[in-house]
Amino acid sequence: MNHAEFMRRALEIAQKGDGLTGSNPLVGCVMVHEGAIVSEGYHHEFGGPHAEVEAVRRLPHHLDARDITVYVTLEPCAHFGKTPPCAELLRDRGFKKVVVATLDPNPLVAGKGIRILQEAGVEVELGVLKEEAQRQNRRFWVNQTEKRAYLLAKWAESVNGWMGVNQGKSVAISGSEAKPFVHQLRAKYPAIMVGVQTWENDRPQLNTRLVEGPSPAIWVIDPQFRGHYPEGKDLQIFTKKKVEDARAVVLEDFSPRAMLEELWERKFTSVLLEGGKRTLEQFWEAGMVDEIAQIISPLALSVGADHVAAPTIDFTPSEVHYLGADTLKCWKR
Ligand code: AOF
Ligand code: ZN
């Protein structure tokens, strides 16, 4: 195995933490002695030990750290978080060399980890598989560099480009195999957001009833506060209007970015935006869509005055999957 292959292995094991690390990144660490992997570790879950700590624990005692090169997919941390700084751990163990895929955008670290190592005379190589490493932690990157929630835009449309009907008549577009997929998606997102029009038209439940997993917190975008929100219903409403409702969150700046920043401040690292047309387009036009899941059903809805056209969002899918008769087109920024 060569240099890049060791880092690729570190990225591969990092992926095992997918969905479990919460607001933390996925991180993998591989230790190499005389061209062979002698230890591995990854960040398993939020609050758990960091990848480097896991790898150090598994390292056979008889090996001399001065002969070992450490590969890690993210700059070792420099702060006392839930665990002591990983950069100090690697330094104190006396490893010969540390190869890092990318700097940590977290301001608590951001170059400080590398400095700790270099100042102690540890050889550091930065940038091996940098792009892959940053893409793997796309959500963490958006959170840390833009201080906002990461956004996935999801909608379903008929093959002839309709999204549904107006005036309180909800219509099922996607088929039975797409539904559990959508519910799985919801279980992975701490928040779900819809425009007031969709809220009023469809009365969506926005939960995960078809799969195991938590239902996301519901957010409705309703500048004039004209929606109907039953007493006791657990949700939050972004609005411009100062109203007497504890669930209302009044925003002066009613932009897509401001909403995502507000969500991030409230500890929502990501949000699933489920419509409708105008809302989806507004977030897209504001450059706030990080990922898209578009479901296309083979059903040709007939054209009527009360039909709603699908959003006009021009993207080139990076992946296409099939959910029964439906097609799923995915895109990532
Ligand atoms: C590493 N190795 O495996 C991870 C790192 O709350 P804590 O203590 O878990 O710290 C979380 C921060 O530490 C996180 O925001 C990111 O900057 C870094 N994560 N660093 O050296 C790891 N998971
Ligand atoms: Zn650490």
Side-chain angles (χ1 to χ4, degrees), residues 21 23-29 41-54 72-87 90 104-110 140 144:
T21 62
S23 58
N24 274 356
L26 300 175
V27 185
C29 178
Y42 69 96
H43 187 46
H44 290 234
E45 59 189 357
F46 183 78
H50 286 181
E52 299 90 322
V53 176
E54 286 283 324
V72 57
T73 61
L74 185 72
E75 173 185 8
C77 66
H79 66 294
F80 280 88
K82 293 172 200 79
T83 51
C86 291
L90 299 182
D104 184 344
N106 182 350
L108 289 171
V109 187
F140 177 71
Q144 293 294 334

Side-chain angles (χ1 to χ4, degrees), residues 237-252:
I237 306 115
F238 278 130
T239 186
K240 284 186 192 170
K241 223 170 162 177
K242 295 197 171 62
V243 287
E244 295 284 321
D245 190 316
R247 299 167 299 180
V249 174
V250 179
L251 290 182
E252 302 275 316

Side-chain angles (χ1 to χ4, degrees), residues 24-283:
N24 274 356
L26 300 175
V27 185
C29 178
V30 161
M31 299 191 165
V32 176
H33 180 263
E34 292 176 354
I37 294 178
V38 288
S39 186
E40 294 185 337
Y42 69 96
H43 187 46
H44 290 234
E45 59 189 357
F46 183 78
H50 286 181
E52 299 90 322
V53 176
E54 286 283 324
V56 165
R57 268 188 202 161
R58 286 187 179 75
L59 188 66
H61 292 298
H62 69 278
L63 294 174
D64 188 343
R66 285 171 297 184
D67 298 328
I68 290 172
T69 299
V70 178
Y71 289 81
V72 57
T73 61
L74 185 72
E75 173 185 8
C77 66
H79 66 294
F80 280 88
K82 293 172 200 79
T83 51
C86 291
E88 292 184 6
L89 171 71
L90 299 182
R91 176 195 65 191
D92 297 345
R93 286 296 173 120
F95 291 105
K96 176 174 77 173
K97 180 172 177 181
V98 179
V99 183
V100 175
T102 175
L103 290 177
D104 184 344
N106 182 350
L108 289 171
V109 187
K112 294 189 197 88
I114 299 288
R115 224 169 306 132
I116 289 172
L117 292 168
Q118 282 174 335
E119 280 170 6
V122 180
E123 190 190 337
V124 176
E125 185 177 337
L126 183 63
V128 177
L129 302 190
K130 177 176 159 189
E131 277 175 20
E132 285 91 329
Q134 294 188 351
R135 281 185 77 76
Q136 183 175 54
N137 282 315
R138 206 179 268 112
R139 199 208 53 225
F140 177 71
W141 233 263
V142 166
N143 290 163
Q144 293 294 334
T145 60
E146 298 193 37
K147 303 293 172 212
R148 65 166 177 88
Y150 179 91
L151 183 131
L152 167 67
K154 177 253 143 191
W155 75 93
E157 63 181 72
S158 69
V159 71
N160 56 342
W162 298 99
M163 240 188 135
V165 264
N166 255 324
Q167 291 149 7
K169 288 174 281 175
S170 166
V171 56
I173 303 231
S174 48
S176 58
E177 289 182 46
K179 286 219 171 59
F181 163 78
V182 171
H183 287 209
Q184 255 150 27
L185 213 55
R186 287 176 180 168
K188 280 193 180 175
Y189 281 74
I192 192 166
M193 190 160 61
V194 291
V196 63
Q197 190 77 32
T198 302
W199 179 257
E200 290 300 301
N201 272 344
D202 300 358
R203 298 260 157 231
Q205 294 187 53
L206 306 177
N207 59 18
T208 54
R209 61 196 176 278
L210 299 178
V211 296
E212 283 210 16
S215 287
I218 299 173
W219 285 79
V220 183
I221 303 170
D222 185 358
Q224 304 312 324
F225 211 85
R226 61 184 180 83
H228 301 92
Y229 306 107
E231 203 73 38
K233 174 87 183 155
D234 190 13
L235 50 74
Q236 308 248 230
I237 306 115
F238 278 130
T239 186
K240 284 186 192 170
K241 223 170 162 177
K242 295 197 171 62
V243 287
E244 295 284 321
D245 190 316
R247 299 167 299 180
V249 174
V250 179
L251 290 182
E252 302 275 316
D253 168 10
F254 210 71
S255 67
R257 178 181 285 278
M259 288 178 221
L260 296 181
E261 286 174 353
E262 186 67 31
L263 287 173
W264 168 246
E265 267 182 32
R266 290 166 184 260
K267 309 271 184 262
F268 292 101
T269 53
S270 58
V271 59
L272 183 54
L273 181 64
E274 287 209 27
K277 173 183 166 65
R278 273 310 295 147
T279 309
L280 287 159
E281 287 171 352
Q282 276 160 6
F283 276 78

Side-chain angles (χ1 to χ4, degrees), residues 157-164 173 295-304 307-310:
E157 63 181 72
S158 69
V159 71
N160 56 342
W162 298 99
M163 240 188 135
I173 303 231
I295 298 169
I296 302 170
S297 88
L299 200 90
L301 282 189
S302 64
V303 181
H307 280 61
V308 187

